[in-house]
Amino acid sequence: MGMVVNLATPAGLFWGMLPEIVLTGWALALMLVAGWRHGGEEDQRFAGQLALAALVSTLFALWWLWAKDARPDGIALMIALDGFRYASSTIFLLGAIMTVMLSLGYVRRERIHTPEYYLLILFATIGMMVMSAAADLIVLFLGLEIMSICVYVLTGINRRSVFGAEAALKYFLLGAFASGFLIYGIALIYGATGTTNLTLIAVSITNLGLQSNGMLMAGIGLLIIGFAFKVGAVPFHMWTPDVYEGAPTPITAFMAAAVKAAAFAALMRIMVHSLGESIGTWQNAVWWLAVVTMLGGNLMALAQRRLKRMLAYSSIAHAGYLLTAVVSGTETGAAAYLFYAFAYTLVTLGAFGVLAVVGRNGERDVRIDDLAGLAAKRPWLAFAMAVFMLSLLGFPGTAGFMAKWYVLMSAIEADQWKLGIILVLASVVSAGYYLPVVMEMYMNQPITEEAHQESVAVGAGRWVIGATAALLLLIGFFPGRLMDVSRSSSDDLKPSAAFTLNAPTGPDAGMASR
Amino acid sequence: MLEAVFWANAGIAIVSALACITRRSPVASALWLIMTLFATAVMFVLLDAHFIAVLQVMVYSGAIMVLFLFVIMLLNLGDQSATDMKGWFGRVVGLALGVFVMVELWVITKVVPVDQIRLPAGELNRMTVDEGAIAPVAQVLYTTYLLPFLLTAILLLAAIAGAVVLAKREV
């Protein structure tokens, strides 16, 4: 046992929320800086460097808490202190760091002169960390809203782009609608169980025998719909392609990687921690969602000719693979999620980073054929892109393969072998749109002599592309260490039996357990 | 007596809500919405949640709706503007969703909450008499729900920053 934190006292809350508090402090400082210095490129760059410092120091605060192995005193009241939170928050922070690094050069090139860009990334990251830390549905919802509102604005932050404005409005309206579903579901779950605490929900369901309670079922259903909107699962995916296409490319990467991972972290915690024992009520619904998302995402991606849109549909397909990990409803599924989310964050940031290098003006127009002959002109860039495509496909030797393998294992372990077969088939289909990118780069000639002259990765963006490609290969060949971390981080995600047997239930349960 | 107050208010709330979504003029819609919010405030009083009822009137019917009317005035939407429910498809989908929610509500009313999670009858009333109307809310807001309370502050701050970014005049 590590450090024991009593979350009922303000001091305990302070230590338990230390990473979030550090990041909030930085965000407030950055807000002041952005208010005073918003002149031109230099100020923008300074804001970016501040954001980078903020995220890195938050990462260290988080790792300090992780190294101390902080655990709550009794039931986790508002926030959880467990490996799952530390590991998933690490993923979001790494995603945010790489997004800021990609953005440094990008905002200069696209002339987005708003230092608040970085401020909103910081606030969104706070929201994500709160989501993965939430041990209470109210906290979870607040985290989700902090994250969502920042991302709506980031989508439309390039005020000169008509597509950005359209995407932001669409995202805002549908996102608000989805939040409505979610809060309605939360209200019904509260109505059925009498608590919003995730552990006490599990206790209530077991002790009061609510497994087939109509109100609880309706609540879980609405909750799943709300999350399906947020992660872009078919048939709630309609906003995804337009929003991903209209947003500035680093922000698209941020949405596809970190925002999606955060929604999945919260979903995973609810499903495994609170509803793991009543898996029969929701497993079928998520099963179908996973199947439709995998098939739909992959088939629609096949029809795309533009790279950014293709990657958007591909991210829908990957939401389907992650839903497969949710279906298992076990700690193995949660471990598979952690591994997958880490690999997917790397590959997404890298792939969109390459897209930002080869495209201009929002990168909407880059067609897959436009990459023809990239390998001859820019061999390293083409090699990195090939690694990303193969990893997205799940080719052996890349991290994507190990991630899919792990998800597949979690499905098989939960006796979901049909789902496993569908996952493999869907992956085969996905070769139909990932491999053409590699073929264009390596087997075709450049369209003109001048092609790819300007496709040069500069500054921090180059480091992101290089580091992600190297890491993906490294994890692909040596997955052991990351797998151990994923497994040990999620092995206490289910509430321990002591709570489910002894904890009080009823209107005062939350207060009585303090 | 209480029963009669409840049914009268329920009727007012539903009729006002219907009027709110069927009026063409945004000003009329906003005024009907105020009516709905007032009727809901009465419901809170019936549930012995007096403080929430007062907040409902002050914050929603008062502050937020005044803001609504200001925005309508500033954007000069006063006259009848085009409806945003275009075509029969939108109407059918809207109707289907409405029916879905109705059915769901009907199903939920059939579910009897288990006794263990119910407050004993008159409990809220007793708390109000003993501690006053505000203390039962404030007590948990600043202790048990301290963290959500603080997070709400961050949420509002982020929303303000976002609104400023999008509404700034020069790009």
Side-chain angles (χ1 to χ4, degrees):
Chain A
M1 270 317 255
M3 179 170 101
V4 176
V5 177
N6 182 1
L7 291 173
T9 62
L13 205 56
F14 174 82
W15 291 114
M17 291 295 282
L18 187 66
E20 286 81 0
I21 290 173
V22 168
L23 192 50
T24 309
W26 276 101
L28 294 179
L30 182 57
M31 196 169 200
L32 289 179
V33 171
W36 261 286
R37 298 183 52 182
H38 49 269
E41 272 178 19
E42 275 314 302
D43 295 344
Q44 175 87 336
R45 198 166 177 77
F46 180 60
Q49 285 157 350
L50 267 186
L52 215 49
L55 292 165
V56 170
S57 52
T58 309
L59 195 58
F60 280 113
L62 180 74
W63 284 350
W64 178 79
L65 213 55
W66 199 353
K68 285 264 180 188
D69 195 23
R71 292 285 177 247
D73 185 8
I75 291 177
L77 284 173
M78 285 292 154
I79 49 163
L81 292 160
D82 54 17
F84 188 74
R85 169 190 171 190
Y86 304 137
S88 48
S89 288
T90 301
I91 295 175
F92 313 146
L93 281 171
L94 287 177
I97 288 172
M98 290 191 287
T99 306
V100 171
M101 286 170 76
L102 280 183
S103 303
L104 286 173
Y106 185 86
V107 291
R108 178 196 289 256
R109 196 188 79 199
E110 299 287 319
R111 305 199 320 285
I112 302 173
H113 296 313
T114 31
E116 289 88 352
Y117 179 95
Y118 297 110
L119 176 68
L120 290 167
I121 290 182
L122 292 195
F123 273 132
T125 313
I126 295 172
M128 291 171 194
M129 292 170 70
V130 169
M131 276 173 84
S132 79
D136 193 284
L137 289 173
I138 297 174
V139 176
L140 189 150
F141 182 75
L142 284 169
L144 183 89
E145 281 304 289
I146 295 174
M147 173 189 83
S148 302
I149 285 183
C150 295
V151 177
Y152 302 149
V153 179
L154 282 170
T155 305
I157 198 140
N158 188 355
R159 295 272 303 279
R160 279 183 303 276
S161 162
V162 184
F163 300 109
E166 186 202 337
L169 186 65
K170 200 175 254 184
Y171 195 16
F172 171 65
L173 290 177
L174 284 175
F177 197 55
S179 296
F181 273 98
L182 199 65
I183 197 94
Y184 194 7
I186 290 174
L188 291 183
I189 291 176
Y190 175 69
T193 61
T195 174
T196 50
N197 183 286
L198 293 183
T199 311
L200 292 177
I201 288 175
V203 173
S204 273
I205 294 175
T206 320
N207 287 5
L208 306 179
L210 298 172
Q211 278 87 353
S212 54
N213 183 287
M215 199 184 283
L216 183 70
M217 301 273 260
I220 295 173
L222 289 167
L223 196 79
I224 291 175
I225 292 178
F227 272 111
F229 260 112
K230 293 286 176 191
V231 303
V234 179
F236 308 103
H237 68 285
M238 268 81 88
W239 56 273
T240 317
D242 292 340
V243 171
Y244 281 20
E245 206 177 23
T249 301
I251 297 303
T252 312
F254 189 55
M255 283 195 278
V259 171
K260 193 165 279 198
F264 267 111
L267 181 66
M268 193 59 102
R269 187 184 285 282
I270 295 178
M271 290 312 188
V272 176
H273 189 82
S274 307
L275 305 173
E277 295 301 316
S278 44
I279 191 166
T281 52
W282 55 268
Q283 197 173 29
N284 270 335
V286 182
W287 194 92
W288 278 107
L289 211 54
V291 169
V292 178
T293 307
M294 281 192 282
L295 295 179
N298 279 312
L299 290 177
M300 285 183 284
L302 273 181
Q304 306 306 320
R305 289 287 158 271
R306 287 192 304 232
L307 190 56
K308 201 171 180 182
R309 215 172 165 78
M310 184 273 269
L311 286 173
Y313 277 108
S314 128
S315 99
I316 297 177
H318 283 271
Y321 304 143
L322 276 169
L323 279 172
T324 306
V326 177
V327 171
S328 71
T330 59
E331 282 152 349
T332 320
Y337 151 77
L338 285 177
F339 192 100
Y340 201 104
F342 185 70
Y344 187 64
T345 300
L346 293 180
V347 74
T348 308
L349 265 302
F352 280 105
V354 173
L355 174 64
V357 169
V358 298
R360 289 293 178 272
N361 297 326
E363 293 78 33
R364 291 181 79 255
D365 310 327
V366 180
R367 296 160 63 87
I368 294 174
D369 330 351
D370 291 343
L371 294 177
L374 188 67
K377 299 272 180 141
R378 305 270 170 234
W380 286 105
L381 196 63
F383 175 70
M385 190 60 168
V387 172
F388 300 141
M389 287 301 126
L390 292 177
S391 189
L392 281 170
L393 169 61
F395 199 77
T398 60
F401 173 73
M402 295 316 301
K404 257 184 205 166
W405 177 258
Y406 213 176
V407 169
L408 197 61
M409 282 298 106
S410 76
I412 305 263
E413 194 178 284
D415 249 356
Q416 296 288 337
W417 53 272
K418 263 190 230 159
L419 197 59
I421 293 174
I422 296 171
L423 187 144
V424 173
L425 285 178
S427 301
V428 171
V429 173
S430 73
Y433 57 92
Y434 289 133
L435 289 184
V437 177
V438 181
M439 276 156 60
E440 285 290 345
M441 290 190 302
Y442 279 90
M443 299 186 179
N444 284 359
Q445 294 303 315
I447 308 166
T448 57
E449 273 302 305
E450 300 86 55
H452 311 309
Q453 286 295 356
E454 293 189 347
S455 303
V456 186
V458 288
R462 182 167 48 184
W463 285 98
V464 171
I465 296 172
T468 48
L471 265 175
L472 284 170
L473 288 176
L474 190 69
I475 297 169
F477 285 105
F478 305 102
R481 181 93 183 86
L482 187 61
M483 265 190 185
D484 290 342
V485 174
S486 314
R487 197 172 300 133
S488 63
S489 301
S490 43
D491 61 4
D492 53 356
L493 192 55
K494 285 210 170 169
S496 67
F499 291 150
T500 38
L501 290 179
N502 301 327
T505 317
D508 298 324
M511 277 169 252
S513 63
R514 292 169 62 89
Chain B
M1 178 58 197
L2 280 182
E3 189 106 339
V5 175
F6 168 77
W7 284 112
N9 259 290
I12 295 174
I14 290 174
V15 170
S16 315
L18 277 176
C20 171
I21 60 167
T22 48
R23 295 305 92 190
R24 276 291 172 87
S25 151
V27 175
S29 275
L31 291 175
W32 279 113
L33 187 54
I34 294 180
M35 198 70 197
T36 316
L37 293 171
F38 262 114
T40 325
V42 175
M43 298 291 185
F44 282 126
V45 173
L46 291 179
L47 290 170
D48 286 338
H50 306 287
F51 183 57
I52 304 290
V54 172
L55 281 188
Q56 165 97 353
V57 172
M58 284 198 325
V59 177
Y60 284 91
S61 317
I64 292 185
M65 289 315 294
V66 169
L67 222 56
F68 265 44
L69 290 174
F70 271 150
V71 170
I72 293 170
M73 262 164 47
L74 286 176
L75 295 180
N76 223 350
L77 297 173
D79 293 328
Q80 76 282 10
S81 51
T83 166
D84 50 355
M85 292 280 287
K86 295 232 170 63
W88 60 270
F89 183 73
R91 282 164 199 273
V92 169
V93 171
L95 188 71
L97 278 176
V99 169
F100 171 73
V101 174
M102 283 285 281
V103 170
E104 195 185 310
L105 280 177
W106 183 77
V107 170
I108 289 167
T109 53
K110 299 283 154 212
V111 179
V112 185
V114 276
D115 287 333
Q116 289 95 318
I117 66 164
R118 284 184 164 178
L119 276 181
E123 176 75 8
L124 267 179
N125 209 5
R126 187 193 59 73
M127 283 167 85
T128 312
V129 172
D130 287 357
E131 307 170 25
I134 301 176
V137 177
Q139 175 66 28
V140 288
L141 187 63
Y142 293 118
T143 56
T144 317
Y145 293 97
L146 177 65
L147 181 67
F149 181 67
L150 296 176
L151 285 174
T152 313
I154 298 181
L155 173 62
L156 292 177
L157 191 61
I160 293 171
V164 169
V165 169
L166 286 184
K168 246 188 335 198
R169 200 172 285 269
E170 90 271 22
V171 182

